[in-house]
Amino acid sequence: STSFPSPPAPVCVLVFLLLQHSKTVTDAPMGPGLWLCQQAPRCGDKIYNPLEQCCNDDTILPLNRTNLCGPNCTFWPCFELCCPESFDPKKYVVKLKVLGVKSRCYSSPISGDCAR
């Protein structure tokens, strides 16, 4: 994956001003210059595309990646957690990640039981 450094603020301002004064942008109250300067999502020190990837423990993964949860269960690490059951650490449950918060096994809703 290619990593692009974020443009310095003066470059963003210059691009915005140039676009605002061009004839193609004068009718638009919010020209494309504002879009160019918005922060891209980061995973550690790398930029990723949230429409195709997620950031999981500072690692960029494709959204369709699956991993094993226990010996015979799969889960999507972009959307779910693999959690050992509290009363039997040899058994696992899959729990949903909650958008916008740091999801944890003890507080997330159950998505599936790997024992079945």
Side-chain angles (χ1 to χ4, degrees):
S1 80
T2 305
S3 176
F4 297 102
S6 42
V11 172
C12 290
V13 172
L14 178 63
V15 169
F16 177 73
L17 290 174
L18 288 172
L19 290 172
Q20 281 295 6
H21 293 295
S22 72
K23 292 185 180 195
T24 58
V25 181
T26 53
D27 294 335
M30 303 255 314
L34 288 176
W35 173 251
L36 291 172
C37 298
Q38 289 186 358
Q39 281 288 349
R42 292 188 168 273
C43 184
D45 62 346
K46 296 190 177 173
I47 294 173
Y48 70 99
N49 179 354
L51 298 176
E52 298 175 358
Q53 303 164 314
C54 74
C55 181
N56 188 50
D57 295 326
D58 287 334
T59 302
I60 298 173
L61 302 175
L63 289 178
N64 63 354
R65 163 75 56 86
T66 59
N67 287 352
L68 273 177
C69 180
N72 58 358
C73 192
T74 58
F75 76 107
W76 288 288
C78 288
F79 307 105
E80 300 174 310
L81 299 167
C82 177
C83 304
E85 285 190 1
S86 57
F87 54 88
D88 187 352
K90 293 180 185 172
K91 292 183 180 178
Y92 295 88
V93 293
V94 175
K95 296 195 171 192
L96 292 174
K97 286 186 176 179
V98 179
L99 188 63
V101 298
K102 178 83 171 154
S103 296
R104 305 211 184 276
C105 282
Y106 67 86
S107 61
S108 296
I110 292 178
S111 172
D113 184 355
C114 293
R116 294 182 194 177

